[in-house]
Amino acid sequence: MRIAFALLGVSAAALIACSSAPEATAPAAAPAAAGLAVFDPSLIDASVDPCHDLYHYACGGWIKANPIPPDQAVYGRFTELNIHNRDKLHEILDAATAQPTEANRKVADYYGACLDEAGIEAKGLDPLKPELARIDALASKKDLAALVAHLHAIGADVLFGFGAQPDFKDATRNIAGQGAGGLGLPDRDYYFKTDAKSVQQRADYEAHIARLLALGGASPDQAAKQAKAVLALETALARHALDRVQRRDPATVYHKQPVHALDRLAPHFAWAAYIKDSGAPSFADLNIMEPEFDKGLDHVITATSLPVLKTYLRWQLLHAAAPLLSKPFVDENFAFYGKIMRGTKELEPRWRRCVNQTDGALGEALGKLYVEKYFGPDAKERVEQLIGDLRAAYAKDLEALPWMGEETKKRALEKLQAMVDKIGYPAKWRDYSSLEVKRDDALGNDFRASAFETRRRLDKIGQPVDRGEWSQTPPTVKAYYSPLHNDINFPAGILQPPFFSMTADDAENYGSIGAIIGHEMTHGFDDKGREFDKNGDLNDWWTADDAKNFDSRVQCLSDQAGAFVAVDDVKQNGKLTLGENTADNGGLHIAYAAYKARDAGQPETTIAGHTPDQRYFLAYAQKWCTNMTPEAARLQALTNPHPMPEFRINGVVSNMAEFAKAFNCPADAAMSRGEKACRVW
Ligand SMILES: [Zn+2]
């Protein structure tokens, strides 16, 4: 299932902290994934000096012992836990397939259909033929809108994006949003970069489009010509799209206008027909996120011939469907997106791809089964205590900030107190009863799941924002902050070692999950989050002086990150990573203060030769132990707002005098920036 249109990286979140306990079958504590610990002395490489390079000291042993498996491009401790979680979901799905019940029938059928490789091979391109015929039947550009609405519903990312989003200026209401889309490469910059690697990737991309079009029925000659035209069309779209750094600024992507403004920007697309056919409720205003893109879109529609437009739609449809079609499609899709773009050597086993598909399509139905089996109420209680401690430490930090005036401090404290936490899983599970799942129709299931999700989102337009909703599924090994909801969210999947353990001591839990909680809280006060107020509204609550002080302090962080070489000649982007980098730095500071407050007066128990303070920083560092292919490192540096793992350790601890003190580092040590340290929160 694919929903191509992400609005500001936020789809939904909550004001209601979950309070209902899981079913009575929940175990007392989630069993630790085999062999994973929050702090593990055996991962250390003692030949490295922690004052010189904490990352390779804390992770050197792990890095040597964990080469990248052939079916992964990035293998870190997040991946380790994620693979354990996939194994658990695998067991749940196997059991459901063997013994379907009312509660698990849909996930069992979805998974079973995806797993039925023989059935999928036998059908070849047949399941896609009705959709391809629909594109073939397009007789004029006038009828394009209805077709685009249908393709969007089934998950093909063509021409632009459309969906629902909270109104940035009134985050209690959902409005319609429309923005840039329709590109097959990861970012608009990929269409224009002139370095040798990028030029080669574009040539590979064009060849991939040609091969997929040929698998879809074009002759090799035709397909080569068509691929060139598709790449030219996407390049024209990309020319008018904002880049990732520009899109991080909420004000740049907020233009609330009457719906007829779309007709003024792009008069050659039948917007009214599109909106009607999308099934969206009627509305008067919408957020036109990138008006310049829409002007470009209009030009693309008028300047491109009907046959080329149809070829482009055909390509995007084949691209969306490829993972659930027969082997030649799966292999071709992997050859470009897996091997060339990410450096992955082999496809993941089919069962794991199908677990991921089921998690994507029926995430809260599968997640409910996962939570019942693996997430206990005591983990939730302990995490609530951690969050309470972090909140108290954050308040103290805000009150004592030397660079912020009283008025802004008061608003910051209000925002902190209003920040809601959600732990584990949603209080109200999603109702999938209207989604039809067939045991013998993998691609149809995928299209119907996309249509169900697209419709579910469009139905929100004009409705109050549901603050109980989650945008990650319960088994996910991630956490998030939502600026439009001012809430922090921790799925059950991450509340396990190496991030959290009921048996680890405070130094370790505060260093690992504590720093993650602090990270998510700090997102409320990073360069993007600070523009939203306690209600999630885009509303400037800063005095001019305080804003200036903030800007100069984050500039320090941006400069540090921008100097770090990610891979070969590619440096990290200080501006793209600024929000995450601010959150990392703030999170580790606040979690440390919370841990010190919690453990005040406790005896300094040494474990494996490490003091509690040392274990705090080692637990922080060890969650980021990672191996990645050079291709994945390049992709991350160019498109991902998260800094590289090594920088998330060394770049952050070197800003903390508490780290240098814990390890008795000399004043000139690499991990001690001294006077040059950056500090925001
Ligand atoms: Zn983050």
Side-chain angles (χ1 to χ4, degrees):
M1 202 233 11
R2 303 149 310 277
I3 298 295
F5 190 46
L7 297 157
L8 206 72
V10 178
S11 55
L15 201 75
I16 307 153
C18 314
S19 54
S20 67
E23 309 302 316
T25 52
L36 299 182
V38 176
F39 164 60
D40 185 346
S42 76
L43 309 185
I44 288 176
D45 178 353
S47 72
V48 177
D49 177 357
C51 294
H52 178 69
D53 177 354
L54 177 66
Y55 179 66
H56 286 98
Y57 173 77
C59 291
W62 186 94
I63 288 170
K64 277 182 212 129
N66 290 279
I68 307 169
D71 60 3
Q72 302 292 320
V74 177
Y75 191 72
R77 302 199 75 216
F78 278 76
T79 334
E80 251 182 333
L81 178 57
N82 188 43
I83 285 175
H84 280 290
N85 284 357
R86 302 294 121 177
D87 288 341
K88 289 174 183 167
L89 296 174
H90 189 192
E91 279 170 32
I92 290 170
L93 286 164
D94 274 353
T97 311
Q99 251 180 338
T101 64
E102 198 47 45
N104 69 25
R105 193 191 60 77
K106 277 191 181 166
V107 295
D109 285 351
Y110 196 96
Y111 178 69
C114 175
L115 219 49
D116 177 19
E117 206 166 0
I120 290 170
E121 291 310 313
K123 287 181 192 161
L125 191 59
D126 287 354
L128 198 61
K129 281 186 176 156
E131 299 298 342
L132 290 167
R134 212 187 253 254
I135 295 174
D136 287 343
L138 180 68
S140 78
K141 290 186 191 176
K142 193 164 60 58
D143 301 328
L144 183 62
L147 181 57
V148 169
H150 173 73
L151 290 169
H152 280 174
I154 62 174
D157 175 20
V158 297
L159 296 176
F160 62 88
F162 177 72
Q165 61 185 180
D167 186 340
F168 292 9
K169 294 271 171 88
D170 173 10
T172 65
R173 307 290 304 175
N174 284 303
I175 59 171
Q178 182 270 337
L183 307 180
L185 285 172
D187 191 61
R188 55 100 60 204
D189 293 347
Y190 275 77
Y191 293 86
F192 306 108
K193 288 165 82 75
T194 54
D195 61 283
K197 182 89 186 171
S198 303
V199 171
Q200 182 59 46
Q201 275 176 343
R202 273 200 300 279
D204 292 336
Y205 179 54
E206 189 181 315
H208 164 63
I209 297 172
R211 281 192 293 269
L212 209 60
L213 287 168
L215 286 170
S219 73
D221 266 10
Q222 258 179 337
K225 278 190 204 120
Q226 290 177 345
K228 213 171 264 315
V230 166
L231 182 58
L233 188 159
E234 288 191 4
T235 306
L237 284 178
R239 187 162 286 123
H240 302 281
L242 297 175
D243 70 27
R244 279 170 197 263
V245 171
Q246 291 166 323
R247 278 207 312 269
R248 290 195 71 247
D249 178 3
T252 306
V253 289
Y254 183 73
H255 311 277
K256 191 173 164 186
Q257 298 192 52
V259 65
H260 58 73
L262 286 169
D263 297 323
R264 186 168 43 75
L265 292 162
H268 296 90
F269 186 77
W271 292 101
Y274 171 82
I275 291 165
K276 184 172 160 285
D277 281 29
S278 75
S282 69
F283 53 88
D285 304 307
L286 83 165
N287 179 17
I288 299 177
M289 297 178 76
E290 299 189 30
E292 289 305 310
F293 177 83
D294 290 347
K295 289 185 197 166
L297 172 69
D298 196 65
H299 182 71
V300 167
I301 292 170
T302 53
T304 308
S305 70
L306 186 65
V308 169
L309 276 172
K310 286 162 75 166
T311 303
Y312 163 74
L313 300 178
R314 180 180 262 270
W315 140 249
Q316 283 288 357
L317 175 67
L318 287 161
H319 168 59
L324 284 167
L325 283 171
S326 58
K327 195 168 184 310
F329 290 91
V330 173
D331 288 349
E332 179 53 39
N333 185 59
F334 176 74
F336 181 71
Y337 288 101
K339 280 189 187 155
I340 290 176
M341 295 304 287
R342 295 176 58 78
T344 323
K345 292 187 176 61
E346 291 173 12
L347 261 172
E348 283 194 299
R350 185 164 193 100
W351 69 261
R352 207 189 286 143
R353 283 179 275 141
C354 291
V355 166
N356 292 341
Q357 293 275 355
T358 312
D359 180 43
L362 288 154
E364 290 197 7
L366 180 57
K368 186 165 187 281
L369 301 172
Y370 173 85
V371 163
E372 282 167 6
K373 200 157 176 201
Y374 293 111
F375 190 64
D378 49 354
K380 190 165 168 164
E381 260 168 47
R382 185 80 190 276
V383 174
E384 264 161 7
Q385 185 193 60
L386 271 145
I387 291 173
D389 285 359
L390 265 287
R391 200 189 297 269
Y394 221 124
K396 253 187 150 161
D397 176 77
L398 286 172
E399 280 158 9
L401 276 188
W403 55 270
M404 188 186 266
E406 290 308 313
E407 201 183 323
T408 313
K409 267 186 194 176
K410 190 171 151 267
R411 302 256 168 74
L413 281 162
E414 282 170 7
K415 180 164 185 181
L416 176 72
Q417 297 311 340
M419 196 178 280
V420 165
D421 52 85
K422 301 212 307 285
I423 301 168
Y425 54 92
K428 185 170 166 279
W429 295 100
R430 192 158 299 160
D431 174 9
Y432 294 100
S433 54
S434 66
L435 170 60
E436 187 188 10
V437 179
K438 296 183 186 169
R439 188 58 180 262
D440 61 351
D441 186 11
L443 186 68
N445 289 341
D446 180 67
F447 284 168
R448 282 186 293 274
S450 289
F452 170 87
E453 181 60 12
T454 304
R455 187 59 193 259
R456 191 186 71 78
R457 294 184 183 201
L458 291 177
D459 282 346
K460 297 182 195 176
I461 295 171
Q463 298 298 313
V465 167
D466 172 7
R467 293 188 175 242
E469 196 181 350
W470 286 65
S471 61
Q472 286 174 352
T473 67
T476 304
V477 185
K478 285 183 191 162
Y480 68 97
Y481 170 77
S482 165
L484 288 156
H485 301 95
N486 192 28
D487 66 2
I488 51 177
N489 302 268
F490 306 94
I494 199 171
L495 300 176
Q496 308 174 68
F499 304 100
F500 167 75
S501 159
M502 291 298 289
T503 54
D505 73 357
D506 287 338
E508 298 171 17
N509 272 332
Y510 282 71
S512 194
I513 194 73
I516 292 177
I517 295 166
H519 171 108
E520 302 308 339
M521 285 179 168
T522 306
H523 272 315
F525 305 100
D526 70 16
D527 61 316
K528 184 166 84 176
R530 80 170 189 87
E531 309 224 349
F532 295 86
D533 67 16
K534 65 175 179 175
N535 300 318
D537 294 340
L538 185 61
N539 175 21
D540 188 2
W541 47 274
W542 292 63
T543 65
D545 274 356
D546 292 334
K548 222 170 108 196
N549 286 340
F550 176 88
D551 286 343
S552 75
R553 281 175 181 262
V554 293
Q555 185 63 47
C556 177
L557 287 176
S558 176
D559 292 344
Q560 282 184 355
F564 183 80
V565 176
V567 61
D568 302 334
D569 56 339
V570 183
K571 279 191 179 168
Q572 214 162 238
N573 183 332
K575 287 200 173 81
L576 177 64
T577 55
L578 183 54
E580 297 299 336
N581 190 12
T582 306
D584 277 349
N585 276 275
L588 194 62
H589 270 289
I590 303 296
Y592 183 80
Y595 147 60
K596 283 299 179 190
R598 166 67 50 190
D599 271 21
Q602 295 288 316
E604 295 267 303
T605 314
T606 297
I607 297 177
H610 298 284
T611 66
D613 270 26
Q614 289 175 343
R615 284 184 287 109
Y616 172 84
F617 289 106
L618 287 168
Y620 172 72
Q622 286 189 336
K623 68 175 182 269
W624 290 116
C625 304
T626 305
N627 282 312
M628 63 169 84
T629 63
E631 291 86 349
R634 175 177 292 265
L635 185 66
Q636 167 150 350
L638 294 175
T639 62
N640 195 313
H642 295 91
M644 305 303 285
E646 181 179 336
F647 183 82
R648 300 188 81 163
I649 309 313
N650 291 351
V652 175
V653 299
S654 55
N655 284 325
M656 276 185 77
E658 295 88 341
F659 169 78
K661 187 160 171 263
F663 284 87
N664 292 314
C665 298
D668 61 349
M671 294 292 97
S672 171
R673 294 191 199 254
E675 298 278 284
K676 290 196 182 117
C678 304
R679 178 83 194 261
V680 187
W681 307 108

